[in-house]
Amino acid sequence: MRELILQKLKILTDAAKYDVSCSTSGVNRTNNRKIGNASASGICHSWSADGRCISLLKILMTNYCIFDCEYCVNKASNDIQRASFSSEEIAELTIEFYRRNYIEGLFLSSAIEKNPNHTMEKIIKALLILRNQYGFSGYIHVKAIPGADPILIKQAGLLADRMSVNIELPSEESLKLLAPQKHKKNLFLPMKQIKQGIEETTLDKKHFKSTPNFVPAGQSTQMIIGASPDNDLTIIKNTQNLYKHFNLKRVYFSAYVPVNKGQNLPSLQLAPPLVREHRLYQADWLLRFYKFEADELLNANQPNFDLEVDPKMMWALNHIQHFPIEINQASYEELLRVPGIGTKSAYRIINQRRCSRIRVEDLQKIGVVYKRAKYFVTCNGTYEGLKEMDAQMIREKLVPKKTFEQLSLF
């Protein structure tokens, strides 16, 4: 029995590694007869709202799937090892890991076994056992299965801390191409229901303190990058719309790892687009905290991010006519657009100016990355950038040309 559970654990934690809706850190280090064990048991790390790093058991309920999405390792037509946990097994595993102090919470996702309602019911049953039978009060993040009955989504929302619906592909065209059994409308319905549930709960709590929590940690989603021909403009516009319409906590991006052959898919030899994924996360940060709009960052003439410079630097070089700005006069919003100045350093500049004028030597103490910012600002009338405000020359200073090239062995 124990061997069977371990075999299922190995299969379903390995299958869960492609979901990045919670941050992950997989390792393969062996025990080597010393202290500790880092076997592939599906433990990943995430961060709570107050910044604490917490360990989660990251696992699929099942990798049996009725869908045949071209990009997915668990697609129905793939000849892979399959396994399915019962709700009782998931609950017992979580508690056993928790009692051994391996984890503080659970991240439970699933392929769609038999039908969406059947899968959602199994997930809910596992949560009910954890919350009611074991009295588990730790963090739980579960997937809302598109197509499941709204009553089931609501029931899961009352038991979980966070829920997510992975839209996976950024556009309707990509869904038709790689996942024709999925429809954008069906993906958005549970997201809309979760958003409304959170808003209603917040409103009710103002009048009735005993109102039960509904998805108190909010909802998130994930998009796969590089499996479909969608450009960065499409992805970042969709991201902006998801934040505006569904009030998401996070949109995660997952660089596509080629696992399947297919005429519509990238080659199996192609490396995952990790730099592109990183640029999209930087752009996501600009949307959420720096008051940028998607249309400002990219347009039809330049639909993809420059992989050599970050999106904020790219915007600044494309709008060089707005610079330099004077540190002692610029508004908070203008400061946020200067490469090398973050939200905290912009706030400190505004505060410091109330006491005295800021000098060049003050900027680094405030937290400004001056070696980047100096091309775009004057401080007390002093400009320490280049003689000319030339975007190409500034770019060459910031991204020196490579003097050598790593040869490939293949």
Side-chain angles (χ1 to χ4, degrees):
M1 181 66 181
R2 179 180 168 79
E3 287 300 317
L4 179 61
I5 294 289
L6 286 175
Q7 183 65 16
K8 285 185 184 179
L9 191 63
K10 185 179 177 184
I11 294 170
L12 294 174
T13 53
D14 188 59
K17 68 185 178 187
Y18 299 100
D19 195 326
V20 299
S21 308
C22 71
S23 303
T24 181
S25 58
V27 286
N28 294 318
R29 191 161 25 86
T30 54
N31 178 278
N32 201 25
R33 297 182 179 179
K34 294 183 179 178
I35 296 173
N37 193 330
S39 61
S41 51
I43 296 175
C44 71
H45 296 125
S46 189
W47 281 264
S48 62
D50 59 3
R52 285 179 302 117
C53 179
I54 55 176
S55 307
L56 302 177
L57 172 60
K58 181 178 179 180
I59 196 167
L60 294 189
M61 175 69 84
T62 177
N63 65 346
Y64 286 102
C65 195
I66 58 173
F67 286 173
D68 203 38
C69 308
E70 282 198 41
Y71 57 84
C72 183
V73 69
N74 297 317
K75 69 175 188 173
S77 58
N78 265 3
D79 182 19
I80 58 171
Q81 279 189 302
R82 304 275 178 180
S84 181
F85 276 121
S86 68
S87 305
E88 291 79 5
E89 287 170 337
I90 286 286
E92 189 179 347
L93 269 175
T94 305
I95 290 301
E96 290 299 324
F97 273 72
Y98 182 76
R99 285 175 177 160
R100 287 168 172 76
N101 207 24
Y102 294 162
I103 59 162
E104 294 172 81
L106 171 67
F107 177 89
L108 181 58
S109 185
S110 183
I112 300 176
E113 186 180 21
K114 293 185 182 178
N115 57 62
N117 282 345
H118 172 79
T119 309
M120 204 70 226
E121 284 169 0
K122 281 183 72 176
I123 290 175
I124 292 169
K125 188 177 177 184
L127 301 194
L128 282 170
I129 296 171
L130 277 169
R131 295 295 196 207
N132 298 337
Q133 187 174 320
Y134 289 110
F136 181 69
S137 299
Y139 176 85
I140 297 179
H141 178 166
V142 295
K143 290 290 168 187
I145 306 297
D149 193 287
I151 293 173
L152 297 175
I153 300 289
K154 184 174 182 181
Q155 196 173 358
L158 292 169
L159 295 164
D161 293 285
R162 173 169 285 191
M163 294 184 75
S164 51
V165 184
N166 286 354
I167 65 171
E168 304 291 17
L169 298 170
S171 66
E172 188 82 48
E173 294 73 24
S174 299
L175 278 174
K176 287 178 184 172
L177 186 69
L178 299 177
Q181 292 165 294
K182 292 184 176 177
H183 301 283
K184 207 170 180 178
K185 186 181 172 185
N186 290 346
L187 296 172
F188 286 160
L189 275 177
M191 294 173 86
K192 186 179 177 184
Q193 187 190 347
I194 294 168
K195 176 185 176 256
Q196 288 175 344
I198 294 171
E199 289 173 348
E200 287 168 7
T201 303
T202 306
L203 192 62
D204 289 346
K205 273 185 176 292
K206 291 179 180 175
H207 304 285
F208 309 104
K209 289 185 179 177
S210 59
T211 302
N213 287 326
F214 182 85
V215 197
Q219 62 171 329
S220 59
T221 190
Q222 166 184 285
M223 276 192 266
I224 297 173
I225 307 304
S228 60
D230 298 292
N231 57 37
D232 293 344
L233 177 60
T234 304
I235 295 168
I236 211 70
K237 270 190 167 182
N238 276 337
T239 301
Q240 181 176 273
N241 288 334
L242 287 168
Y243 282 127
K244 284 183 178 174
H245 298 308
F246 300 106
N247 199 21
L248 297 188
K249 285 285 183 182
R250 285 295 304 270
V251 175
Y252 290 90
F253 305 106
S254 174
Y256 176 64
V257 180
V259 289
N260 297 327
K261 282 184 180 177
Q263 60 178 4
N264 298 319
L265 290 171
S267 161
L268 288 175
Q269 281 72 42
L270 209 63
L274 295 176
V275 178
R276 187 182 175 198
E277 177 195 87
H278 180 58
R279 296 297 179 221
L280 285 165
Y281 272 120
Q282 290 176 321
D284 171 82
W285 206 257
L286 295 181
L287 294 180
R288 290 192 293 144
F289 301 111
Y290 286 75
K291 304 182 181 182
F292 277 88
E293 296 285 326
D295 288 334
E296 292 180 279
L297 296 171
L298 295 170
N299 55 53
N301 296 324
Q302 194 171 18
N304 290 305
F305 288 113
D306 187 334
L307 297 183
E308 292 190 329
V309 296
D310 64 77
K312 190 174 171 184
M313 180 66 75
M314 178 181 158
W315 179 86
L317 293 174
N318 287 340
H319 297 82
I320 200 69
Q321 69 276 14
H322 296 320
F323 300 102
I325 63 169
E326 170 56 45
I327 285 284
N328 286 290
Q329 295 174 357
S331 65
Y332 178 74
E333 288 73 19
E334 288 173 324
L335 290 170
L336 283 182
R337 303 213 160 202
V338 178
I341 298 181
T343 51
K344 286 184 180 176
S345 48
Y347 181 72
R348 287 175 189 150
I349 288 170
I350 298 292
N351 269 350
Q352 180 64 29
R353 285 193 329 213
R354 291 174 185 154
C355 304
S356 63
R357 289 184 68 80
I358 296 173
R359 301 165 300 170
V360 171
E361 52 267 36
D362 297 328
L363 290 175
Q364 287 191 352
K365 296 176 188 172
I366 287 172
V368 173
V369 184
Y370 191 59
K371 64 181 179 182
R372 290 163 60 81
K374 68 180 182 182
Y375 300 103
F376 304 96
V377 297
T378 60
C379 188
N380 259 336
T382 303
Y383 179 70
E384 297 189 354
L386 301 178
K387 289 182 180 177
E388 295 178 25
M389 287 300 294
D390 184 278
Q392 185 58 34
M393 291 171 68
I394 294 173
R395 182 191 167 90
E396 287 173 4
K397 281 285 180 185
L398 292 166
V399 189
K401 287 182 181 175
K402 293 178 182 174
T403 53
F404 60 89
E405 185 178 350
Q406 176 70 51
L407 296 177
S408 172
L409 296 174
F410 305 99

